[in-house]
Amino acid sequence: QLQLVESGGGLVQPGGSLRLSCAASGLALDYTAIGWFRQAPGKEREGVSCISWYDGKLYYADSVKGRFTISRDKAKDTVVLQIDSLKPEDAAIYYCAARYPVLTLETTCGIADLYGYWGQGTQVTVSS
């Protein structure tokens, strides 16, 4: 069983930065895509960014492009989401998720229903 644990959330002012981490254990990540999703109160779960482990292909939602950066650390089996220039509308619970089997991203991360493994989430709050 693949297990995912998010960390790095917290309270930050608008314009600030956060570094979210997703640590994986239990299974090899060679043929996965790792995605970050977020869900704010009253809104549907939204795919934010994702990366394919095998070839490092990236995807960003239009709402975060230019402000969020996703990367993988193969030595630590960890995916990092660097968030800069935070806006109030970025506030949400951020979830890490994994999808098997994936060699490369075709167009987007894929919908949330395709991801079979989920972390418990980390809260991002943006407030003055």
Side-chain angles (χ1 to χ4, degrees):
Q1 174 78 15
L2 178 65
Q3 302 206 37
L4 304 171
V5 179
E6 303 96 333
S7 63
L11 173 65
V12 67
Q13 294 183 340
S17 297
L18 284 172
R19 180 183 180 272
L20 307 184
S21 294
C22 173
S25 62
L27 290 175
L29 300 177
D30 304 55
Y31 303 113
T32 68
I34 307 296
W36 285 96
F37 295 78
R38 67 186 182 187
Q39 189 162 24
K43 305 188 76 173
E44 293 187 348
R45 189 164 296 188
E46 173 192 17
V48 173
S49 182
C50 56
I51 184 167
S52 52
W53 198 263
Y54 182 77
D55 63 359
K57 296 294 185 181
L58 312 174
Y59 172 80
Y60 298 100
D62 288 342
S63 59
V64 307
K65 198 171 297 181
R67 301 186 298 115
F68 289 26
T69 304
I70 193 169
S71 61
R72 72 197 195 281
D73 186 335
K74 291 184 175 181
K76 297 181 178 180
D77 281 356
T78 298
V79 173
V80 170
L81 186 68
Q82 177 67 41
I83 305 176
D84 297 314
S85 302
L86 274 160
K87 302 176 179 179
E89 52 263 43
D90 293 320
I93 301 175
Y94 282 71
Y95 297 92
C96 177
R99 167 186 166 199
Y100 283 91
V102 172
L103 288 177
T104 190
L105 299 177
E106 298 298 334
T107 53
T108 67
C109 297
I111 62 175
D113 286 349
L114 295 175
Y115 289 75
Y117 302 90
W118 292 83
Q120 297 184 46
T122 186
Q123 177 74 236
V124 172
T125 303
V126 184
S127 177
S128 299

